[in-house]
Amino acid sequence: MLTIEQLNEYRDKTRDLIKLRHHKLQPELDCGYKYQVLVCGGTGCTSSGSKKILEVLNEEIKNQGLENDVKIVRTGCFGLCSLGPIMIVYPEGAFYSNVTVEEIPRIVKEHLKEGSPVKEMLYEQTVCEDGSIKALDETDFYKKQVRVALRNCGVIDPENIEEYMGTNGYQALAKVLTTMTPEEVIDEITKSGLRGRGGGGFPTGRKWAFARASQSDQKYVCCNADEGDPGAFMDRSILEGDPHTVLEAMAIAGYAIGANQGYIYVRAEYPVAVERLKIAIKQAEEYGVLGDGIFGTDFSFRVGLRLGAGAFVCGEETALMTSIEGHRGEPRPRPPFPAIKGLFEKPTILNNVETYANICRIILKGADWFASMGTEKSKGTKVFALGGKITNVGLVEVPMGTTLREIVEEIGGGVPNGKKFKAAQTGGPSGGCIPAEHIDVPIDYDNLIALGSMMGSGGLIVMDEDTCMVDIAKFFLDFTVDESCGKCVSCRVGTKRLHELVTKITEGRGTPEDIEKIKELSKYMKSTALCALGQTAANPVISTMNYFEDEYKAHVEEKVCPSRVCKKLLKFEIIEDKCKGCTLCARNCPAGAISGTVKNPHKIDTDKCIKCGVCMDNCKFGAIIKK
């Protein structure tokens, strides 16, 4: 059984080691190593080769006889995914980006052995004009971020519980078990203003209070790690980089509501997250911070893993619980709500990964500290997975109320290739598009809803001027049609009919009556579907209609796609003055739609053309255009 004194010993043992990964050159701190090398081990960097980089790095360290001078740490995601694989060397904070295996020997020799960072391999924004190395938090991507949920990602070894303890890990659990009543814990969470980060934004403290008030011989704490929005990877990154923060928060929630069992429902497509959760649970049980009689009290809590098969509908709380029970993941009518009758028909609370990742900091730093960030009705920070047509693809955490412009243009580095920002899609398949005219809107729960979108779990997809908004609506309907569980007619049939209508429009067969049908069908789905999937499935269509009505009109009335994206509305044409008669287009056309002789201009038979674009891809003279 772990005592609080022993917990403090683990904290003190590794505290300086961890502190040196946050700050530049602190002579008063001694971690026992000359250098610490942090290598990103998140899914993004792993997919681009960081595992091999770790292997070669270890070999080179050994070959150079530096085992006692250099500590190598595999961390979670650093956030700036577009620059992976990433490696950071402390105490300088040297940020090596897009690292290759071939570069490792030079970095080891010149930097780790001879003490001279290889500056041409560093992220350009971290190198000053005088050659000195700038701290990461001074770069455009990081300087406006405030890391609360992501505080340990890219900092600690997620497979080492003692490193987590070095960041005050499990101190919040010790505090609530020895100095606070369950009611005081719930009051603190309520005062903080924390709202659920899974999409709905329901006040976390109020949810816990409902479950606390329910009378039952058994209660449960569940974690939703079934992140299903296209382009979203916030929860996955937290689990990969800091799994213990979720376990600790779930134990605190269990103490608050009177539960002794928790379940994490995580999709099986997250193998790195699943493996690290398994390791974390095993370590937590071995060290005594999960199990029976935690810290010598009469409180016991255990956590089990349940793997999902990737069904988007299982992100809905009742469907998730049904799946944990071993049944097909389908939503149940509410009321009764899970706080009254949830998992195995017992009182249950369900929060997502990011929500739990805030709990321990609130307990240790206080509700007022958390509530000092954000807006009046949306407190704290929010993690966004920034993707699409953006320079700095990655994971960002900013205070609620940060404007879309700050995220896109400053943190995200703007739209690449000189293109203009057109819109940002938030909330995944349940959300909507925010057009350029609202780029200065402060992002919080209420502002997004007012704009016809929603926060969702935090996916933020940026679109440029070449994006067809009708095609975007069709893309999300493709997804919801596939992911509907089929239990209620409103969703099963409604999403299919919506998809058919939008497809008609993208193929040039749409009519003005189809627009009215879409509006009417969307209204009925919102009021009659059983769960949020069906109720919000039309949001991407309605929001794009509201803000980009001219594009829908062009598709319906003029039978053209202004962005030249919708295939059935495209027309390929050869410009005679530019065509050299090289015959490359004709030889590669799979439909035999191009005719002409050598050294003479060619022509495209529009009746035969299947609009595949192969001719345009093969033309070396820019003689083929699409209209």
Side-chain angles (χ1 to χ4, degrees), residues 34-53:
K34 186 177 180 180
Y35 292 107
Q36 294 188 65
V37 182
L38 278 56
V39 180
C40 176
T43 292
C45 283
T46 298
S47 67
S48 54
S50 68
K51 187 175 180 180
K52 184 64 177 177
I53 284 169

Side-chain angles (χ1 to χ4, degrees), residues 138 154 160 169 175 227 281 288 295 297 315 323 401 405 477 498 511 603:
E138 296 175 31
N160 186 338
K175 177 181 178 179
E227 190 172 47
I281 291 170
F295 294 122
T297 68
S323 183
R405 184 186 297 276
L477 283 173
L498 271 181
T511 65
K603 290 186 178 180

Side-chain angles (χ1 to χ4, degrees), residues 227-249:
E227 190 172 47
D229 287 6
F233 51 95
M234 301 77 57
D235 291 351
R236 184 196 75 201
S237 296
I238 293 172
L239 293 177
E240 291 176 353
D242 194 16
H244 284 284
T245 197
V246 176
L247 300 182
E248 183 179 6

Side-chain angles (χ1 to χ4, degrees), residues 184-203:
E184 287 173 335
V185 174
I186 293 173
D187 286 345
E188 194 72 7
I189 300 302
T190 302
K191 282 170 54 183
S192 75
L194 176 66
R195 296 172 65 172
R197 299 303 198 241
F202 191 81

Side-chain angles (χ1 to χ4, degrees), residues 387-449:
K389 303 295 182 66
I390 190 76
T391 300
N392 296 330
V393 173
L395 205 63
V396 305
E397 183 172 4
V398 293
M400 291 279 196
T402 301
T403 66
L404 183 59
R405 184 186 297 276
E406 289 175 288
I407 295 175
V408 173
E409 295 185 356
E410 297 180 35
I411 297 173
V415 179
N417 303 318
K419 299 290 184 178
K420 294 180 181 178
F421 170 77
K422 185 173 186 176
Q425 209 277 345
T426 66
S430 302
C433 293
I434 305 169
E437 65 196 75
H438 293 300
I439 195 171
D440 290 308
V441 66
I443 295 181
D444 64 15
Y445 290 99
D446 300 318
N447 284 341
L448 290 184
I449 290 173

Side-chain angles (χ1 to χ4, degrees), residues 141-156:
F141 183 78
Y142 289 102
K143 65 185 177 185
K144 285 202 169 185
Q145 292 195 48
V146 178
R147 294 198 151 205
V148 179
L150 298 178
R151 62 191 176 277
N152 290 330
C153 293
V155 176
I156 66 170

